Amino acid sequence: MIRPAVFLMILLAAESVLAAPPLPKDVQAFVKNAEACEHMAGEWDSDLPKAQRRAITLAIKKYCAPAKFQLPLLMEKYKQNPPILRTISRHAYDSVKYFTEVDTTDD
């Protein structure tokens, strides 16, 4: 038998999933890039071995560069759509907004 509190949590989760319309493909791509960017930026550490730092730096470029490029375009495109704009804003992490290309050849 399911406890009432568990049942309520399941019901609320299902309601929120069913109530939310799917995001446009360009916003989905941005969210994917932004989340990967944030994750990889959190992995970087100057104490890691050189090869691992280089791999993480390349992954950061792979995800952060497109996310930074996408962010202002999507903010402009969806400025009249508050629910989508909120989703974009929630994923506008500092790692995305302040990403800059770095040279990894000397690393």
Side-chain angles (χ1 to χ4, degrees):
M1 181 167 186
I2 297 178
R3 293 184 177 161
V6 174
F7 179 74
L8 181 59
M9 288 186 336
I10 293 170
L11 185 61
L12 290 173
E15 181 181 339
S16 68
V17 169
L18 294 174
L23 292 172
K25 296 276 187 218
D26 54 355
V27 177
Q28 290 178 29
F30 167 73
V31 167
K32 176 184 167 245
N33 286 330
E35 288 179 351
C37 171
E38 180 73 358
H39 173 77
M40 295 312 299
E43 294 292 316
W44 202 96
D45 186 327
S46 62
D47 292 334
L48 292 171
K50 187 176 186 177
Q52 196 171 359
R53 286 193 320 260
R54 183 173 290 128
I56 291 170
T57 300
L58 290 173
I60 289 170
K61 282 184 181 182
K62 177 181 177 179
Y63 296 109
C64 295
K68 184 174 183 174
F69 178 79
Q70 293 165 318
L71 179 58
L73 301 175
L74 295 174
M75 294 291 283
E76 177 63 26
K77 181 177 180 178
Y78 294 104
K79 66 184 177 187
Q80 301 299 324
N81 190 328
I84 291 178
L85 202 55
R86 278 191 297 277
T87 298
I88 295 166
S89 296
R90 275 196 313 270
H91 292 87
Y93 307 114
D94 286 348
S95 58
V96 171
K97 292 189 286 189
Y98 302 115
F99 170 76
T100 57
E101 290 280 339
V102 291
D103 182 15
T104 59
T105 56
D106 295 339
D107 197 14

